[in-house]
């Protein structure tokens, strides 16, 4: 594929943009692949990309029932950070954050990574102690964070009200190298790179059954016919339970809706990301000027990818004391995505009871930030059968009771 460059833009400008080629091919499925990945969200595409880039495995199909990036990858609020408490989490999230730094260059696709900094506000004394503990843990893990006082918070976020009365800002966990990226571009960039390596990204291709022989995977049935494979990666976020059921095993996962909304665009007023977990809500400003706002998950399980009025009211009510200016904003649109949540709020990257089937799920409310690191680690697991980054995240931890509790670091109320 032709490289994108400043020169290419100039060249196409003078020939009426007639020379651009398709960013990825639209193939029909072949009869057989070495590896099939179900789900063309960020995690599925990143897994395929690293199978090709790191291990030279390119006879790969990525099957997507809708359009690529149309699940949670295209619905999230794009916060990237690695300020988790437990060592295995810090390792994979920090690997991921560092891969975001060079992603635009690696993929030759501008994913608009913006390391503008992320603050998690401490608005109770309990939160102060919790975030101080995380800052110490992060120092030992080599993750750059610091606990900052209320004056520094005010300096970084001039529009914030730190005085309460209900929830004064007592400080915050500040990660300067955290930030945001353009979510669709992450999916599109990976899809283009996978297609360029000869992989088949096949949209509108729903997997309806997983075929096994003697405890081993042999292929899948899809809305475009049967396809054989030697190995299968299930990377379907909110539908993980359903698809695992097709392979004959159950997951310790619940599917719930997570919603977000954006305001009308306004002039630049906040150039960091702020999460306020006590109240609960979070906010950043997009490059278009919209205030991007979200809250906790819905309190009931469901598969409906849409927003609801009660959520706007709850989230805006939660944030209004800390950000009084949002009371004067008009809201533009809202939406929901179905996230898959585990009991310890950590993901599952694992082999499964079916030989040749691997699963990547359970990122819950926080998997956008993890896309490149998860893809890197999952590719290693699929190619070599083990990966230091996935070891602790196996399904066995639920049997052995070796939980990786990240309910606070998840940062979103469940
Ligand atoms: P998805 O992007 O959902 O991809 C899975 C794909 O599998 C889908 O495209 C789906 O159509 C496909 N699929 C399902 N079943 C089948 C089938 N049978 N056959 C074929 N294809 C199938 N994370 C952060 O880190 N930061 C944030 O700020 C953040 N904000 C969020 C805000 C909201 C409102 C939401 C909903 C989520 C947020 N997240 C955030 C979480 C993040 O979006 C997800 O963890 C992440 O995108 C999961 O990516 P994925 O590739 O696993 O799943
Ligand atoms: O994981 O940082 C996060 C997050 C913020 C909003 C939703 N998820």
């Amino acid at each position: 594929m032709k490289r994108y460059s400043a020169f290419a833009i100039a060249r196409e400008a003078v020939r009426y943009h007639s020379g651009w080629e398709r960013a990825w091919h639209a193939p029909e499925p072949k009869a057989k692949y070495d590896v099939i990945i179900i789900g063309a969200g960020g995690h599925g595409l990143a897994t395929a990309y690293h199978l090709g880039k790191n291990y030279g495995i390119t006879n790969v199909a990525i099957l997507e029932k809708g359009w690529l990036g149309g699940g949670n990858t295209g619905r999230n609020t794009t916060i990237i950070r690695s300020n988790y408490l437990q060592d295995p989490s810090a390792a994979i999230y920090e690997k991921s954050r560092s891969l975001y730094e060079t992603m635009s260059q690696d993929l030759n696709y501008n994913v608009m990574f913006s390391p503008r900094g992320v603050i998690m506000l401490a608005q109770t004394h309990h939160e102060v102690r919790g975030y101080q503990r995380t800052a110490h843990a992060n120092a030992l893990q080599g993750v750059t964070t610091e606990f900052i006082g209320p004056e520094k918070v005010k300096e970084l976020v001039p529009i914030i009200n730190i005085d309460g009365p209900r929830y004064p800002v007592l400080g915050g966990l500040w990660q300067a190298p955290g930030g945001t990226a353009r979510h669709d571009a992450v999916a599109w960039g990976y899809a283009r790179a996978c297609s360029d390596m000869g992989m088949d990204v096949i949209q509108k291709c729903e997997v309806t059954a997983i075929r096994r022989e003697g405890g081993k995977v042999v292929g899948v049935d899809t809305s475009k016919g049967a396809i054989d494979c030697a190995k299968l990666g299930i990377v379907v976020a909110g539908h993980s339970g359903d698809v695992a059921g097709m392979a004959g095993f159950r997951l310790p996962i619940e599917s719930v809706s997570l919603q977000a909304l954006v305001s009308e665009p306004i002039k630049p007023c906040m150039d960091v990301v702020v999460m306020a977990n006590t109240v609960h809500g979070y906010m950043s400003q997009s490059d278009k000027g919209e205030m991007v706002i979200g809250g906790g998950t819905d309190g009931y399980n469901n598969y409906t990818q849409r927003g609801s009025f009660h959520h706007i009211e709850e989230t805006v009510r939660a944030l209004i004391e800390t950000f009084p200016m949002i009371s004067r904003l008009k809201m533009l649109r809202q939406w929901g995505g179905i996230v898959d949540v585990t009991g310890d709020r950590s993901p599952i990257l694992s082999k499964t009871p079916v030989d040749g089937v691997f699963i990547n799920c359970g990122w819950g409310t926080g998997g956008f930030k993890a896309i490149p690191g998860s893809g890197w680690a999952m590719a290693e697991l699929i190619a070599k059968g083990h990966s230091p980054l996935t070891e602790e995240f196996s399904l066995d931890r639920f049997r052995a009771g070796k939980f990786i509790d990240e309910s606070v670091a998840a940062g979103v109320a469940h």
Side-chain angles (χ1 to χ4, degrees), residues 38-45 63-81 84 205-208 235-239 243 246 257-260 282 305 335-340 360-361 363-371:
I38 313 177
H43 287 265
L45 290 162
L63 309 181
E64 168 54 51
K65 72 174 177 180
W67 66 97
L68 67 90
N72 295 316
T73 298
R75 292 165 191 267
N76 68 76
T77 45
T78 80
I79 299 174
I80 296 167
R81 55 187 175 84
Y84 282 68
C205 182
E206 178 168 4
V207 171
T208 52
V235 198
V236 294
H239 298 87
V243 179
M246 294 178 197
S257 175
L258 180 65
Q259 303 188 32
Y282 60 89
Q305 288 178 306
W335 65 91
I338 306 303
V339 297
D340 50 346
N360 175 340
C361 66
W363 292 99
T365 59
F368 176 70
K369 65 175 83 64
I371 284 172

Side-chain angles (χ1 to χ4, degrees), residues 126 140 145 199-200 214 264 362:
H126 179 71
L140 293 172
T145 61
M199 298 181 186
D200 290 347
E264 60 186 329

